[in-house]
Amino acid sequence: MIELFYWPTPNGHKVTMFLEESGTPYRITPVNIGAGDQFKPAFLAISPNNRMPAIVDHAPADGGAPLSVFESGAILTYLAEKTGRFLPSAPRPRAAVLEWLFWQVGGLGPMAGQNHHFSGYAPEKLPYAIDRYVKETNRLYGVLDHRLASSEFVGGAEYSIADMAIYPWIVPYERQSQKLGDFPALKRWFERVAARPGTVRAYARGPEVRPDANAPMTEAAKKVLFGQTAASVRRA
């Protein structure tokens, strides 16, 4: 049994996509990031970066004590290796999947996240910052579109953890000031992944955990989520 510490964000959706696709038994422990659950000592013990998602594998392969993993890319890799699913074993296709997984965690996620912040959450609209991150998001969409023009899925011929990592960060494309019609290969891939039953089931978990997901972010939540320092962790 996998215990998933989750909130319905792009990084959270990555892991439910894997678990639903693979049929791996799991249960969700909500981590309300707007209320500061990520700073509670019990959560920091498994996710010292005070970010969700994180997992605890209560039946690890070595038969030992429960094993915790934090960081979404590491979680996807761990689950893929545990189940033997969605990560090729042959060196070349495996390298391709891992390349694009790291492309997402090191590029698309951070840049799109800054896009979201300065366009939607920053108390002061800073034209330079908005323009910078909208353009960089656009560049990354172009990179992905070019890849998908010659590949059925991001990592190659087979659906993989690279697709699961990237898809949730494309879902809010309108918030990122992007138009999928400008990227035809990306659009075809996006619609294909969206229609997968595992994707549909994964995204259905979000409203179960957070029924008010579409409500505007409160000022109290913004204070929790933005501007934290090392003192936030030391106090926990």
Side-chain angles (χ1 to χ4, degrees):
M1 172 67 71
I2 300 296
E3 183 176 7
L4 170 61
F5 293 81
Y6 164 91
W7 201 240
T9 70
N11 288 334
H13 292 312
K14 294 178 190 178
V15 184
T16 51
M17 286 176 69
F18 183 97
L19 294 167
E20 292 291 344
E21 284 280 352
S22 64
T24 302
Y26 73 102
R27 67 173 182 264
I28 286 177
T29 296
V31 180
N32 186 337
I33 58 176
D37 288 356
Q38 67 272 36
F39 296 107
K40 292 181 178 179
F43 183 68
L44 287 173
I46 63 170
S47 184
N49 194 36
N50 56 269
R51 294 287 188 273
M52 69 89 228
I55 64 168
V56 174
D57 184 353
H58 291 276
D62 64 6
L67 190 157
S68 63
V69 184
F70 72 100
E71 290 296 320
S72 60
I75 293 168
L76 289 175
T77 303
Y78 176 84
L79 292 172
E81 292 177 342
K82 177 182 175 69
T83 62
R85 303 285 305 278
F86 305 114
L87 178 61
S89 58
R92 293 177 190 275
R94 181 183 179 88
V97 168
L98 292 176
E99 283 178 333
W100 288 98
L101 173 64
F102 279 83
W103 176 85
Q104 185 279 309
V105 298
L108 179 63
M111 295 300 104
Q114 294 295 338
N115 182 331
H116 295 169
H117 179 80
F118 286 105
S119 298
Y121 299 123
E124 180 183 355
K125 296 299 181 184
L126 301 173
Y128 176 83
I130 294 171
D131 185 63
R132 157 85 174 104
Y133 290 111
V134 167
K135 285 182 176 177
E136 178 60 8
T137 304
N138 185 264
R139 185 190 73 80
L140 292 165
Y141 274 49
V143 170
L144 187 57
D145 186 67
H146 182 73
R147 167 63 173 175
L148 290 166
S150 60
S151 181
E152 184 174 1
F153 293 105
V154 179
E158 303 294 331
Y159 187 63
S160 75
I161 57 175
D163 302 282
M164 299 175 199
I166 292 168
Y167 173 83
W169 283 98
I170 303 295
V171 169
Y173 62 88
E174 292 179 331
R175 285 177 58 197
Q176 298 164 9
S177 300
Q178 306 301 319
K179 297 178 181 178
L180 284 190
D182 293 341
F183 306 97
L186 170 54
K187 185 174 186 291
R188 286 193 299 271
W189 167 86
F190 180 83
E191 292 171 349
R192 190 181 309 128
V193 175
R196 294 179 69 93
T199 304
V200 175
R201 291 193 300 270
Y203 272 78
R205 301 307 307 268
E208 295 174 8
V209 173
R210 187 187 175 192
D212 66 341
N214 294 322
M217 186 181 293
T218 65
E219 291 303 313
K222 289 179 183 179
K223 289 179 180 179
V224 171
L225 289 169
F226 309 135
Q228 299 289 345
T229 67
S232 306
V233 180
R234 295 186 185 122
R235 287 196 302 266

